[in-house]
């Protein structure tokens, strides 16, 4: 079936916007095609430094005829309203249908040729494209990320004719700005288009560009006995800067290797977009880098490498100045400057935030490792953890906050645990980031994140939908990961509000779901009112294992049956109070369940006290056959009132015994 090919060719698209632009183009095209009754067999988009491309396969030559029903005025409406509706639909009164007190019209819409629809869709997309930042040019009637120069749009190898603010669609595009031919070339389908771009030194697919960069960079490093310091974020960026990426190995002054490696890598990455290299054996950085050019230079890139080395030297000279000057001032002496740094307009200065973190770290330390040295070190680390924010290095490289504080603390000769806590207190900052589990570091990291959460929740700045400007979800996940990995038994209710506790429950569900766990089991355990996340996760894991067994699944069914009976009876009258008793002539299944429950409750209590949740589940599993037999052989709603009341008390006892382990009403299934 025919193919639609679209290219929007412009000045340079910022690398950080390209991936989202490709997703937006696909979404907008798919939605608009669907609205016209088109479901393409395949639809793919590409983004690069100067172009957005879309190819849709398997579209029909024309839209199918459609019948639409339109609702009109109510029956008995003024004649003027009815006449207006008839004019709008092109129908006569006898063609209207009365239904539910209103007139309805069935309107036949003949299908349009696909090129006509495609032209409308492209114009809608161009005029409403959601660039984070855009600009206008010429008479200011068209907005795009950068000036739009050309639109290639062909369907079934024929040009789709239209024009947008003087830019006429066509079947031509052009290649690389410097290496390709200055003359545009024709492309009437995707194969011609992609092959033509390749001949003119443009790699269309960003994944291919990334693969070329990584393969060549690794080869350059390996040839010198080094290995590439891989960086996914940097790779995404440089792949968005070069249409024909050409990695080049350059050299730097070895004297700069006495700077902290994070400083060297950050300077390379942020200012120059270079990849660092390290020794394959020792793991230490080496005085070389890989830069990605957008051309194949005649000299093999020697001039480019030399020029980049000079620029890097200038940057690292600045970094050396900050490194040497910053170490002349103790972290403690920097604290007064934090009084001039605003944390948030409604939450005070950074100095006030440090005071809160310090007090919080003192409280948290006893839960992480309850001894005086840990508390003292945690308090000191908390007091100094933000001091590097007013250092020259962090002013130049904000990405190094915390890291530089650790280096400055080490240079002052502070305790290694304090150094580690200052360096790591922002961690974890993402799912792949390491978690600080050493006691002092864990206490300070927890204090930092809990202060952030409590502070912003207190002023109503909570995440909503996809909006989370203060990264509170990440902070909560960080708290959870630290508590779980350090096995810290923290009573969260003592530190957070009920609202924030519920927020932690939601984040825990997200974290466990990513690990393959069921969110309803988290609800079932959280419903017990526990706030110890270590214990909660242990109980959730045991519950999950239990419910995967036949005993667990069947007992859950028995629980739900018991609860349904109790709810139905409770609507009629209050449930009978007291304990179930063995009655004369009671069925053996009833007496057996009563006796087993007494033993199970005792053993469940022991297991829960020692947090042996697997043992508690085993005790519940032992009840499964007895509960099944009870429902199979015993009539709960006996005509004898005393028997019915006793059996209702027995079902309530089953419910309550299971409810000590988890709220099974929250469990799906």
């Amino acid at each position: 079936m025919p193919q639609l090919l679209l290219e929007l060719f412009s000045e340079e698209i910022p690398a950080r916007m390209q991936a989202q632009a490709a997703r937006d183009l696909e979404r907008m095209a798919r939605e608009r095609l669907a609205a016209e009754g088109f479901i393409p067999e395949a639809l793919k988009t590409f983004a690069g430094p100067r172009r957005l491309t879309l190819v849709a396969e398997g579209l029909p030559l024309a839209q199918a005829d459609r019948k639409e029903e339109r609702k009109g005025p109510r029956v008995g409406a003024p004649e003027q309203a009815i006449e207006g509706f008839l004019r709008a639909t092109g129908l006569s009164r006898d063609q209207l249908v009365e239904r539910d007190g209103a007139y309805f019209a069935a309107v036949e819409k003949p299908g349009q040729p696909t090129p006509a629809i495609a032209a409308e869709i492209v114009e809608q997309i161009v005029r409403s494209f959601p660039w984070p930042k855009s600009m206008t040019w010429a008479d200011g009637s068209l907005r795009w990320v950068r000036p739009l120069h050309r639109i290639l749009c062909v369907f079934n190898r024929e040009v789709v004719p239209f024009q947008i603010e003087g830019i006429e669609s066509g079947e031509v595009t052009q290649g690389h700005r410097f290496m390709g031919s200055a003359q545009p070339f024709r492309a009437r389908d995707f194969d011609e288009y992609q092959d033509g771009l390749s001949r003119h030194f443009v790699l269309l697919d960003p994944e291919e560009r990334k693969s070329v960069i990584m393969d060549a960079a690794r080869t350059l490093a390996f040839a010198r006995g080094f290995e590439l310091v891989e960086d996914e974020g940097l790779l995404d960026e440089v792949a968005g800067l070069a249409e024909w990426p050409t990695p080049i190995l350059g050299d730097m002054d070895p004297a700069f290797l006495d700077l902290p490696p994070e400083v060297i890598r950050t300077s390379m990455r942020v200012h120059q977009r270079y990849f660092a290299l390290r020794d394959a054996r020792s793991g230490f950085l080496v005085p070389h880098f890989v830069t990605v050019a957008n051309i194949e230079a005649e000299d093999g890139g020697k001039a480019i490498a030399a020029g980049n080395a000079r620029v890097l030297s200038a940057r690292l000279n600045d970094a050396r100045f900050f490194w040497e000057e910053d170490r002349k001032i103790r972290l403690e002496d920097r604290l007064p400057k934090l009084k001039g740094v605003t944390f948030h307009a409604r939450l005070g200065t950074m100095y006030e935030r440090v005071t809160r973190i310090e007090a919080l770290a003192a409280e948290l330390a006893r839960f992480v490792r309850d001894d005086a040295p840990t508390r003292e070190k945690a308090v000191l680390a908390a007091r100094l953890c933000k001091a590097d924010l007013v250092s020259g290095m962090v002013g130049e490289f904000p990405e190094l906050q915390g890291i530089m504080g650790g280096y400055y603390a080490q240079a002052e000769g502070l305790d290694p645990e304090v150094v580690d806590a200052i360096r790591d207190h922002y961690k974890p900052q993402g799912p792949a980031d390491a978690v600080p589990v050493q006691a002092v570091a864990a206490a300070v990291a927890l204090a930092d994140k809990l202060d952030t959460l409590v502070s912003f929740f207190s002023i109503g700045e909570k995440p909503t939908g996809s909006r989370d400007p203060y990264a509170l979800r990440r902070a909560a996940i960080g708290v959870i990961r630290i508590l779980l990995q350090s096995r810290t038994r923290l009573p969260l209710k003592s530190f957070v509000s009920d609202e924030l506790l519920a927020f932690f429950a939601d984040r825990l569900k997200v974290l466990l779901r990513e690990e393959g766990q069921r969110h309803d089991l988290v609800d079932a355990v959280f419903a017990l009112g526990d706030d110890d996340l270590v214990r909660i996760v242990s109980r959730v894991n045991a519950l999950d294992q239990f419910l995967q067994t036949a005993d667990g699944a069947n007992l859950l069914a028995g629980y739900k049956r018991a609860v349904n009976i109790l709810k139905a009876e409770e609507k009629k009258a209050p449930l009978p109070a007291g304990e179930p008793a063995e009655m004369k002539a009671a069925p053996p299944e009833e007496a057996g369940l009563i006796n087993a429950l007494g033993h199970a409750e005792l053993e469940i209590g022991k297991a829960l006290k020692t947090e042996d949740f697997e043992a508690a589940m085993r005790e519940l599993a032992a009840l499964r056959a007895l509960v099944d037999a009870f429902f199979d052989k015993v009539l709960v709603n006996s005509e004898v009132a005393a028997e019915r009341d006793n059996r209702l008390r027995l079902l309530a006892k089953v419910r309550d015994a299971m409810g000590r382990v988890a709220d099974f009403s929250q469990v799906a299934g």
Side-chain angles (χ1 to χ4, degrees), residues 132-151:
K133 291 184 179 181
S134 58
M135 61 184 294
T136 59
W137 62 97
D139 61 357
S141 56
L142 186 62
R143 298 187 67 89
W144 199 247
V145 61
R146 296 290 186 273
L148 189 62
H149 290 316
R150 193 190 304 276
I151 299 175

Side-chain angles (χ1 to χ4, degrees), residues 20 92 102 132 152 168 172 177 195 213 261 264 304 335 353-355 358 471 483 505 529 533 562 572 587 593 600:
Q20 185 59 47
S92 61
L152 179 152
E168 293 192 4
V172 298
R177 186 188 292 276
D195 291 346
I213 291 168
I264 298 172
I304 294 174
L335 295 181
R353 171 159 156 76
V354 166
T355 302
E358 187 177 346
L483 292 176
L533 298 188
K572 302 174 187 176
L593 183 55

Side-chain angles (χ1 to χ4, degrees), residues 120-131:
E120 293 178 4
I121 288 175
V122 173
E123 181 165 5
Q124 292 170 7
I125 289 173
V126 170
R127 293 193 181 278
S128 61
F129 203 83
W131 292 109

Side-chain angles (χ1 to χ4, degrees), residues 273-346:
R273 300 184 181 90
Y274 302 161
F275 288 92
L277 300 179
R278 62 189 168 208
D279 183 84
R281 293 182 179 178
S282 68
F284 294 132
L285 293 183
V286 294
H288 308 281
F289 60 86
V290 171
T291 185
V292 179
N294 193 28
I295 59 172
E296 291 181 355
E298 293 181 0
D299 65 352
K302 292 180 181 179
I304 294 174
N308 286 346
R310 286 194 297 272
V311 176
L312 179 60
S313 291
R315 293 292 190 184
L316 292 178
N317 270 322
D318 291 342
R320 184 187 297 284
F321 171 79
F322 294 131
W323 171 241
E324 293 174 350
E325 290 299 307
D326 285 345
R327 287 181 295 167
K328 295 176 182 178
I329 304 174
R330 296 170 62 246
L331 290 174
E332 188 85 38
D333 296 335
R334 293 185 179 277
L335 295 181
K337 286 190 176 182
L338 293 177
K339 295 178 181 179
V341 179
T342 300
F343 170 55
H344 185 278
R346 297 169 61 191

